[in-house]
Amino acid sequence: MTAANPKEEPMPDARPNAALRAALWMTGAIAAFSAMAIAGRQIGAAHDTFEIMGARSAVGLALVLVIGGARGQLGQLSTRRLPGHVLRNIVHFTGQNLWFWALTMIPLAQLFALEFTMPIWVLLLAPLLLGERMTRPRALAAALGFAGILIVARPDPSALNPGVLAAAASAVCFALTSILTKRLTVDEPVIGILFWLTLLQMAFGFAGAALDGHVTWPTAATAPWLALIGASGVLAHLSLTSALRLAPASFVVPIDFTRLPLIAVLAALFYDEPLDPWVLLGGAVVFAGIWINLRAELRPKGHSPAVTKP
């Protein structure tokens, strides 16, 4: 697997608006991941996580082939980086199944609060595995984002259960997935990453669903939600991969903190979960951290002092 060049500047795209474009791509990922959570909650009682993952990836693969074919990009597909794709998708498949399982067991706000420890893991691992520089604005954005999550969710450490542990483990898997995705974006096109993502996870999902000898097929009630999960999954990973091609993982991933205030609002609207002032305060802290990080990345090079440099 080819590693990113440790001496590479933080913004691989030399254009000055690369950070802003990466942030805009992340808004698509945030919207798609939120839609997937709502859809997953709607059908969690009808399908197990393997069935959801298999159906989601089948829809995603069809979309990738149609869109890639229409844009003439299918010729870019190759097996040159297949070992890297397999490793990435094993890690991601594990994390996604843990996430969907936890989705049926704990409240949305708690699930997202635990999932959002993922950027902390990315910030810690990116300098070691990707050679990225840890700047003060990035560290501050992560700290403020995590503080905002604690303000919103106010997790109870004594309330440990399998759902909480599954959500925490999924965060570690998602962090490693982001690291592995960033490594692939060095010389792999987006269409290749999405193709192998959907193909491999479709195979993993249907194989897992068949293990117990019983498969629940989509019904008229669940098919639209499964289609939404599939479409959202493709959009989310298209957006995330595009953002990672433009900016370092340690800049891109903390933007995802904004998903927690958003999902708290959606949970209040769809599931009557109370929306209190702590959500507004926590959301303000989250946005403050992201704004600090974005402004730092938009400055000319040399204006963000490094805390560590590999």
Side-chain angles (χ1 to χ4, degrees), residues 221-236:
T222 64
W225 294 110
L226 289 169
L228 176 59
I229 290 172
S232 298
V234 171
L235 175 59

Side-chain angles (χ1 to χ4, degrees), residues 11 16-26 246 251 294 297-298:
M11 302 308 304
N17 64 344
L20 180 59
R21 291 166 57 221
L24 290 175
W25 271 114
M26 280 304 294
L246 291 165
F251 166 72
L294 181 58
E297 295 292 340
L298 290 173

Side-chain angles (χ1 to χ4, degrees), residues 84-94 180 184 193 196-198 200-201 204:
H85 288 292
V86 172
L87 176 60
R88 175 193 185 275
N89 282 288
I90 288 174
V91 174
H92 183 262
F93 183 77
T94 301
L180 294 170
L184 285 171
I193 293 173
W196 289 112
L197 164 75
T198 52
L200 290 171
Q201 297 215 12
F204 295 160

Side-chain angles (χ1 to χ4, degrees), residues 78-79 116 153 297:
S78 74
T79 59
F116 286 162
E297 295 292 340

Side-chain angles (χ1 to χ4, degrees), residues 238-270:
L238 170 64
S239 300
L240 178 60
T241 303
S242 299
L244 286 169
R245 288 180 68 87
L246 291 165
S250 50
F251 166 72
V252 167
V253 175
I255 297 174
D256 200 31
F257 278 130
T258 56
R259 195 159 31 114
L260 180 59
L262 174 61
I263 204 65
V265 172
L266 293 177
L269 293 175
F270 290 101

